[in-house]
Amino acid sequence: MSLIQRAALQRAIAIDANFNTYSDGSASGGTKDGGAGVVVTKGNPAKPTVVATLHGKGAIFTCSYEEEKHAMEMAVRWMEDNLSAPDKVAVFTDNQSICTALTSTSPVLDPLRVRMANLLPSLTIQWIPE
């Protein structure tokens, strides 16, 4: 296990969420044939139990950032549909740009920010480098 993998695992354990979600999006060459995915797990992050696997076909002409955003939206939609107030959930993403954008004041992500703010579960978003 690499140093980065160990650090990510230690962080996941420290967050102590009921559910851990891993979101990712990409586009071929960064510009076309995009797609997004989310894996939801529970239990020990070192030996997780997969609860749900979500896939989303992206646009023909897109960018990796848009697909990462799509993956985050898919994760939030799953939380809205499946979780409640006592739940604690973490979203892990390798896209530092989406993490930075969510903490900015750019109106582009306002709809996603509002949905996250209205979630009943406690939510932690964690960037993990590749």
Side-chain angles (χ1 to χ4, degrees):
M1 183 181 289
S2 75
L3 179 62
I4 291 174
Q5 290 170 322
R6 280 196 308 274
L9 178 59
Q10 288 172 349
R11 180 65 180 140
I13 291 168
I15 291 171
D16 193 32
N18 303 94
F19 296 90
N20 290 312
T21 65
Y22 303 88
S23 67
D24 199 15
S26 66
S28 179
T31 61
K32 63 181 185 174
D33 299 324
V38 176
V39 176
V40 181
T41 69
K42 66 179 181 178
N44 181 347
K47 294 184 180 180
T49 300
V50 175
V51 174
T53 304
L54 313 170
H55 304 274
K57 183 169 174 46
I60 293 173
F61 298 106
T62 187
C63 67
S64 294
Y65 177 83
E66 283 299 318
E67 297 308 323
E68 292 282 358
K69 182 177 139 218
H70 183 207
M72 189 69 69
E73 290 166 341
M74 290 168 52
V76 169
R77 186 176 321 115
W78 185 89
M79 291 176 230
E80 290 168 335
D81 293 345
N82 294 282
L83 301 180
S84 60
D87 290 318
K88 184 175 178 185
V89 64
V91 177
F92 296 92
T93 178
D94 66 353
N95 188 280
Q96 192 173 23
S97 295
I98 196 82
C99 294
T100 302
L102 284 168
T103 61
S104 77
T105 57
S106 170
V108 174
L109 290 180
D110 281 351
L112 182 57
R113 271 193 223 93
V114 167
R115 288 175 62 202
M116 289 176 163
N118 290 330
L119 281 172
L120 292 176
S122 170
L123 175 62
T124 299
I125 298 171
Q126 178 66 51
W127 171 65
I128 50 172
E130 291 184 50

